[in-house]
Amino acid sequence: MRRGVAALLAGVLLPAGLAGCGIPHETEVQVDGRPSRAAEAGALNGTGAEPPSQAASSEPAQFIRNYLSAAAGEREQAYARAKKFIAPESQNLLKEKPQSSEVELTVVRLREEPVVSPPSNDPFSEVTVTVQQVGVLRADGTLAPPVEIQTKYVFHLRSADAGGTGLFITDPPKVLLLSDTALRRFYGTHTIYFWNSDQTRLVPDQRYLPSTVPTERRVTEVVKWLAGGPPDWLAQGVTRLPAGTTPINNATGADDHWEVNLTMPGATEFRLARLATQLAWSLQDFTGELQLKIQNQNRRTVDLKQARDEFALYPPPGAPERFCVYDGVIHPVSVAGETSGPVPLSEKFNKGVVSAALNRVGDEVLAALVVTRSDRRQRLMVGSDPAPVTLLNGSGEWYGSIGRPTWLRSLDQDHPTGLVVADGGLYRFDGMAAMTPISLGVPGKVSAVASSFDGHRIALIIGGELYVAPLSVDGNAVTVNQPRRLATLLTGLTVVDWYAANELVFAGNEAGRPAIYQTTVDGGLEAPLKQRIGAEVTELAAYPGGTVGAPPPVMYETNKAAFRNDPFEIIKREQVLDLPEPSASPGVRSPNPTAPFFLY
């Protein structure tokens, strides 16, 4: 039922006015354990596509675009592929790493079309590429934060030697470059899972694998990734395998039977059971048996499908229901073909509402409301009950401004916990609405926070920029670990939400115009969702699931009115249920629905 991002446009992702592109076909992206929806256009992941050759184009701009794809694929030949684009006398300028495990690719995003000078077909050309540094693609398939700071690369070209074809670069950069377009086209995204700190829930982690890697090698790669541990940014929020866990040779097998041989100190039955569940979900599109060996000794046989059936990633969310705030009161929103239900909140508390977060947890509903009083000061109201919620507790303080709260989807129903932004700071709140400030170690005003479906990662807008951070959750104690900043073409970001297990949707400015974009959790694959919005986006809500093949449901607020996608249109008053009769007084205008959100 759940799915990944919708790829809206095909081609190269560039700023407004240039060609757009969606996030790619994803070979194994998982959300809540079910296959992600593949992108609709512009993707070749999983097809075994090879990067273009040096002789594929003699047009300077296209030649450089091709060079920015050359390193894509198997690491052992990355330098060899790139050097075919470099003049023989200059190839020594690109220093090779001695081991393929040390090969790292500098991923960049083109901000505009390459500029060729002179523009004619001169035998000696100069091509200037303006870029955004996206990250470093490591040999373990993770996209780490960027190391390079260059925003512009200038390539000098000459014609190939007599008898040759195409062009050569005479002064290559000292790093292997890879465009985000090539990352999208020649790699598949894969989700593997690590246990949280108390080993009660699996937390997703995104990796990239060349689309040329055959199916039979994917088991080996997944085992290596799990043994190698989580990426740096996620490490503080999850549990590694025991120190010293390493694969012994490659995984063997085919079809419905696989064998994995490991060295694993302290390989107790509990740890093997946990590893078996990790493997089952990290190999989610595999079925059949996996034989788990420790130092050549058979220790466990895993029925992959059965293991997934016995351990659901997350509690089933149920069908999403749409709600909005209308004149300070929460109301259901009716959309054709979707389920709608009554507001799970006592009328006594459903007034003066600015925004809200309602979540289902078992047979209870968690309610977090931001309410206002006559002087426009705001306070948080929190409660939980089987629907309807009949008792809410208020925060001790009133604030100038409070953002939409977000609940952490924890397995511990006795200690409901959420996060909220108030007056530019991040706070943790509990079931009694007690608010505790959280220090992030990142300068800047916090304007939005959103929790992932697994409840162990959050997205933040800090100082108008996009961040993600892992959470360490121990009962009712929540620690926000060091945030990681993600590269995006948008500036002045205002709001964010989770779009899927490893995807975000967020809003900001694109060349001075408000826009909504989507991106992966590492910032590597970015695409526009809605451009040229008339005013700043002040609220944004997504449902991180949906029907395979359908666009993910999104709602947002701009200019004090609520909108939805598929199709993009305003949410009309007629779609808001249980409204009083409109005023008959002349000159009195009915308000628009605002602050839309999903209950699931």
Side-chain angles (χ1 to χ4, degrees):
M1 171 174 96
R2 308 183 71 80
R3 40 103 286 292
V5 301
L8 301 180
L9 304 170
V12 180
L13 176 61
L14 294 171
L18 301 177
C21 177
I23 292 177
H25 176 106
E26 293 162 332
T27 313
E28 193 185 338
V29 171
Q30 306 298 328
V31 187
D32 283 9
R34 284 171 285 277
S36 164
R37 184 175 66 84
E40 296 172 338
L44 296 175
N45 286 352
T47 65
E50 294 278 1
S53 67
Q54 172 267 341
S57 178
S58 294
E59 193 280 314
Q62 185 59 48
F63 176 81
I64 292 302
R65 290 192 197 95
N66 292 348
Y67 174 70
L68 296 178
S69 299
E74 300 280 12
R75 296 298 174 112
E76 291 81 358
Q77 298 299 317
Y79 281 99
R81 290 191 298 272
K83 286 187 173 182
K84 290 180 180 179
F85 286 74
I86 300 171
E89 68 274 13
S90 303
Q91 290 181 359
N92 64 330
L93 298 176
L94 183 61
K95 302 296 184 183
E96 295 192 33
K97 299 284 187 178
Q99 303 292 331
S100 62
S101 61
E102 299 176 357
V103 176
E104 296 182 337
L105 310 184
T106 297
V107 180
V108 296
R109 180 174 291 132
L110 273 63
R111 287 186 173 273
E112 57 189 38
E113 293 281 9
V115 177
V116 181
S117 178
S120 62
N121 292 326
D122 192 281
F124 296 93
S125 301
E126 179 180 283
V127 180
T128 302
V129 180
T130 302
V131 303
Q132 178 183 60
Q133 296 288 340
V134 174
V136 176
L137 185 61
R138 293 177 171 169
D140 64 359
T142 60
L143 185 65
V147 174
E148 297 292 310
I149 60 174
Q150 283 185 259
T151 58
K152 187 176 292 186
Y153 291 95
V154 179
F155 298 89
H156 293 93
L157 310 181
R158 69 167 176 82
S159 298
D161 298 321
T165 59
L167 301 168
F168 279 135
I169 299 169
T170 60
D171 54 349
K174 295 182 179 180
V175 295
L176 279 175
L177 293 177
L178 183 76
S179 69
D180 67 330
T181 303
L183 179 65
R184 180 182 302 112
R185 183 174 182 184
F186 300 112
Y187 290 80
T189 52
H190 299 253
T191 297
I192 62 173
Y193 293 88
F194 291 93
W195 288 102
N196 63 357
S197 54
D198 59 5
Q199 299 199 43
T200 57
R201 176 168 290 182
L202 288 169
V203 181
D205 175 33
Q206 177 164 287
R207 302 293 172 108
Y208 297 88
L209 192 65
S211 58
T212 52
V213 172
T215 299
E216 57 268 22
R217 267 189 47 206
R218 287 171 53 196
V219 177
T220 296
E221 295 300 325
V222 166
V223 172
K224 287 180 179 178
W225 291 339
L226 293 176
D232 295 342
W233 80 272
L234 189 60
Q236 292 176 294
V238 297
T239 301
R240 301 176 64 100
L241 295 180
T245 300
T246 55
I248 300 175
N249 301 322
N250 293 332
T252 59
D255 299 327
D256 292 332
H257 184 80
W258 302 87
E259 292 186 2
V260 171
N261 194 9
L262 297 170
T263 295
M264 184 179 180
T268 63
E269 290 304 311
F270 175 81
R271 285 177 171 175
L272 289 174
R274 284 293 182 262
L275 175 57
T277 304
Q278 272 183 276
L279 286 166
W281 280 111
S282 299
L283 296 167
Q284 201 272 334
D285 59 346
F286 284 73
T287 56
E289 286 188 345
L290 185 146
Q291 188 72 44
L292 185 57
K293 297 182 177 182
I294 302 299
Q295 292 181 309
N296 300 311
Q297 299 297 313
N298 290 332
R299 292 291 301 273
R300 196 175 192 91
T301 299
V302 185
D303 183 312
L304 295 172
K305 182 179 182 303
Q306 181 179 331
R308 293 189 289 267
D309 290 341
E310 291 176 349
F311 185 89
L313 281 180
Y314 317 120
E321 297 175 17
R322 298 179 191 251
F323 291 87
C324 72
V325 176
Y326 187 90
D327 200 19
V329 178
I330 299 173
H331 287 273
V333 173
S334 175
V335 172
E338 295 186 2
T339 301
S340 63
V343 177
L345 182 68
S346 168
E347 291 185 9
K348 174 183 176 181
F349 295 103
N350 193 6
K351 57 186 177 181
V353 179
V354 177
S355 64
L358 302 177
N359 282 22
R360 296 191 188 103
V361 179
D363 60 355
E364 291 194 349
V365 170
L366 303 181
L369 277 58
V370 178
V371 300
T372 188
R373 62 188 185 189
S374 58
D375 63 357
R376 298 188 178 181
R377 300 282 290 176
Q378 298 178 357
R379 124 192 253 203
L380 183 67
M381 302 288 290
V382 174
S384 62
D385 269 320
V389 180
T390 58
L391 178 62
L392 294 179
N393 301 291
S395 59
E397 293 186 40
W398 291 77
Y399 298 84
S401 176
I402 300 180
R404 182 163 65 93
T406 185
W407 287 101
L408 303 181
R409 293 181 173 272
S410 172
L411 292 177
D412 187 355
Q413 293 183 226
D414 296 330
H415 299 96
T417 303
L419 298 173
V420 68
V421 174
D423 289 346
L426 182 66
Y427 291 80
R428 176 177 62 85
F429 64 87
D430 61 18
M432 301 298 292
M435 294 174 59
T436 305
I438 293 176
S439 176
L440 293 172
V442 175
K445 178 181 177 182
V446 184
S447 58
V449 60
S451 172
S452 64
F453 200 84
D454 56 88
H456 288 271
R457 299 166 300 161
I458 59 173
L460 298 148
I461 305 297
I462 307 175
E465 297 184 313
L466 181 60
Y467 289 81
V468 290
L471 302 179
S472 299
V473 180
D474 182 12
N476 61 345
V478 177
T479 302
V480 178
N481 297 300
Q482 182 65 31
R484 170 187 174 177
R485 187 174 71 84
L486 304 183
T488 171
L489 291 174
L490 298 190
T491 60
L493 273 57
T494 54
V495 285
V496 64
D497 204 355
W498 288 80
Y499 210 36
N502 285 319
E503 295 154 12
L504 304 169
V505 58
F506 57 100
N509 292 311
E510 178 186 55
R513 300 280 302 270
I516 299 174
Y517 267 51
Q518 58 199 61
T519 191
T520 45
V521 71
D522 51 23
L525 303 176
E526 181 180 76
L529 184 65
K530 175 64 176 175
Q531 297 172 290
R532 295 178 290 279
I533 298 173
E536 179 182 282
V537 179
T538 48
E539 293 278 355
L540 180 63
Y543 171 58
T547 304
V548 173
V554 173
M555 298 188 291
Y556 63 97
E557 176 192 298
T558 179
N559 200 24
K560 298 182 179 179
F563 293 78
R564 60 178 285 249
N565 70 330
D566 192 33
F568 281 97
E569 62 183 14
I570 194 169
I571 297 176
K572 300 173 183 174
R573 186 185 188 280
E574 293 74 26
Q575 294 174 271
V576 182
L577 305 180
D578 305 328
L579 286 182
E581 291 297 322
S583 173
S585 303
V588 176
R589 185 177 179 180
S590 298
N592 290 314
T594 60
F597 64 94
F598 293 94
L599 165 63
Y600 55 92

